Amino acid sequence: MTDQTPKSWVRSASFGLAVLSFINLFSYLDRYVVSALIESLKHSDLGLSDANLGSLMSGFLVVYTLTAPIFGALGDRRSRPRLIALGVACWSFATALSGFAGSYLTLLAARASVGVGEAAYVTIAPSLLSDYFPMRQRGRVMAIFFCAIPVGSALGYVVGGLVDKHYGWRMAFFVAGVPGLLLAALCLLLRDPPRGTQDPGGAPKSSPPGTMRRETLLAYGRLMSNKPYVLTILGYAAYTFAVGGLAVWMPAFLERARGIPRSEATVSFGAIVVITGFIGTFVGGWLGDYCAKYSRQAYLWLSAISTAVAAPFVWVALTTSSHTVYLVCMVWAQLCLFLSTGPINAAIINLVAATERATAIALGVFAIHLLGDALSPPLIGALSDRFSLAQAVKIVPIAVVIGGCIWGWAARAQARALPSAIAADA
């Protein structure tokens, strides 16, 4: 890599943030397009049960979580833009292949393959962004980056629902997958600054060549002994369990329990997600950075409080018989849930060393999905087959409460931790 001045990295920061955020949008569009197609897939010639439909997301997440540690280790030592480009191309191709599925197993295999590509991107992109921007801006930067989640998820519902209505579910997968190939080419234009260049003290010395396996094992050991980090990830797992369950099953819930037509259910829930997600994520990022001036636990406390406030709204939205009450409570619930998106990811970045961030994100991805949304969709689907979908979704607000409590515990643990035990103040 050619030498470049610090100013050149600053000039590339906005471009890098824009490209990575746009890729993140398509990542979640590809991930959640299947949620808009659940009812069509259920009544297709594939003959899928609710448990089968729930396992489509789990198959993706299992592969995603198992390959994330590999890409995390590579992301701390190899060219990050090239790894991201490889991942984007892989998941886009796999999404398009889903449209050719002729059975449950082939569809499951295609959806699971999406996880390989997304693991490369999700574990590495936040690490790259942390080297584009200084610590004091990371709450806002992560908020902008993660704003793509609600927008992309909503587009998954809307695009999937509309294309499915007019052209069928197979075409929806083609439309979702093909644009990612162009995004993969854009990744190759990104610069890869020295790791830790935006941290106090500058970039640390890199590990000597030939020690990747040993250094990776040591890094995992240090992360597992970092109590605030571990608790933050466990809280994130409970949060992801809840959000993942809602994301997959809400369109079907609205159609079955509320009697809303299929296309209207996907578009209306998508609209709620994109509006509340965009506002909540932006507000949370700016509020987190502001509060962090006064407390290094601000990111965690903000996440804990906003999640705890969301829980009763989630419960009422899922149990009320009034459509108006449902709309009001779901809007407030999603708004409060998305407030934590930027702060909690900034907290994770700041709780670990600069040379271990991709590894830390990879370990976090492994845990939050293995314990979170890899479990909730099939569990809700199985409970729906046994009882009803209206009863099954009641486990979601319980998970929200658990996530908020653990994040509060993590904030207290960070406050008690010695400054030397944490790589950087949050």
Side-chain angles (χ1 to χ4, degrees):
M1 187 176 69
T2 58
D3 292 335
Q4 303 207 16
T5 65
K7 287 185 178 180
S8 67
W9 299 126
V10 173
R11 285 196 296 268
S12 71
S14 296
F15 174 73
L17 176 59
V19 171
L20 293 174
S21 298
F22 197 62
I23 294 171
N24 205 24
L25 184 150
F26 270 86
S27 166
Y28 279 82
L29 188 156
D30 287 3
R31 187 182 302 191
Y32 284 111
V33 68
V34 71
S35 299
L37 308 177
I38 279 182
E39 291 301 302
S40 293
L41 289 169
K42 184 177 178 67
H43 297 96
S44 71
D45 56 358
L46 300 183
L48 306 181
S49 67
D50 280 351
N52 293 148
L53 292 166
S55 68
L56 293 178
M57 179 63 78
S58 296
F60 154 77
L61 289 169
V62 167
V63 174
Y64 178 53
T65 55
L66 291 177
T67 54
I70 299 173
F71 286 108
L74 291 171
D76 280 330
R77 294 161 182 84
R78 300 290 186 266
S79 169
R80 290 175 287 188
R82 291 180 182 177
L83 288 169
I84 291 172
L86 174 64
V88 175
C90 286
W91 97 52
S92 301
F93 185 66
T95 298
L97 282 180
S98 301
F100 293 105
S103 66
Y104 164 67
L105 290 179
T106 54
L107 181 59
L108 178 64
R111 296 307 298 167
S113 299
V114 175
V116 178
E118 291 207 17
Y121 171 71
V122 173
T123 56
I124 297 171
S127 169
L128 186 57
L129 285 173
S130 71
D131 291 325
Y132 284 156
F133 296 91
M135 186 179 296
R136 66 181 181 276
Q137 298 178 8
R138 286 177 187 159
R140 283 166 284 179
V141 169
M142 292 300 161
I144 294 170
F145 175 71
F146 285 103
C147 267
I149 293 179
V151 177
S153 301
L155 286 175
Y157 297 128
V158 174
V159 172
L162 293 177
V163 175
D164 177 34
K165 180 180 179 180
H166 295 287
Y167 303 102
W169 63 268
R170 294 183 185 276
M171 182 59 68
F173 284 121
F174 299 148
V175 171
V178 171
L181 299 176
L182 175 60
L183 296 173
L186 282 177
C187 292
L188 298 177
L189 301 178
L190 300 181
R191 296 178 178 179
D192 194 5
R195 290 159 178 81
T197 191
Q198 293 284 1
D199 289 2
K205 293 182 179 180
S206 59
S207 300
T211 63
M212 178 175 171
R213 182 177 179 182
R214 178 174 177 272
E215 285 299 315
T216 300
L217 293 175
L218 290 174
Y220 282 132
R222 287 189 291 269
L223 291 171
M224 293 303 296
S225 64
N226 185 336
K227 185 176 180 180
Y229 167 80
V230 171
L231 289 173
T232 299
I233 295 302
L234 290 176
Y236 211 166
Y239 172 93
T240 305
F241 182 100
V243 173
L246 283 178
V248 170
W249 286 107
M250 277 308 296
F253 170 82
L254 292 174
E255 181 177 355
R256 298 183 199 177
R258 297 286 185 265
I260 300 174
R262 185 176 308 172
S263 59
E264 183 181 341
T266 57
V267 173
S268 64
F269 184 66
I272 291 175
V273 170
V274 71
I275 294 171
T276 59
F278 198 80
I279 296 173
T281 304
F282 259 117
V283 171
W286 284 87
L287 187 59
D289 280 350
Y290 176 80
C291 294
K293 298 176 183 177
Y294 307 100
S295 170
R296 66 190 180 100
Q297 297 89 46
Y299 293 137
L300 285 169
W301 277 123
L302 177 60
S303 300
I305 294 170
S306 63
T307 304
V309 172
F313 288 109
V314 176
W315 176 265
V316 174
L318 296 175
T319 57
T320 183
S321 59
S322 169
H323 186 65
T324 301
V325 174
Y326 154 77
L327 284 175
V328 173
C329 288
M330 183 54 69
V331 166
W332 279 106
Q334 294 282 358
L335 190 65
C336 292
L337 288 171
F338 280 115
L339 277 175
S340 64
T341 305
I344 203 62
N345 283 280
I348 293 171
I349 287 291
N350 291 339
L351 283 169
V352 300
T355 55
E356 297 175 357
R357 282 174 180 152
T359 302
I361 295 166
L363 181 59
V365 165
F366 180 86
I368 67 176
H369 292 298
L370 188 66
L371 302 175
D373 52 2
L375 295 178
S376 56
L379 178 58
I380 292 173
L383 291 173
S384 175
D385 288 336
R386 180 69 175 83
F387 302 103
S388 70
L389 187 55
Q391 294 296 319
V393 295
K394 290 181 180 179
I395 65 174
V396 170
I398 298 173
V400 174
V401 171
I402 293 172
C405 291
I406 297 178
W407 277 340
W409 186 7
R412 293 174 64 87
Q414 185 185 8
R416 291 192 297 267
L418 293 176
S420 59
I422 299 176
D425 289 339

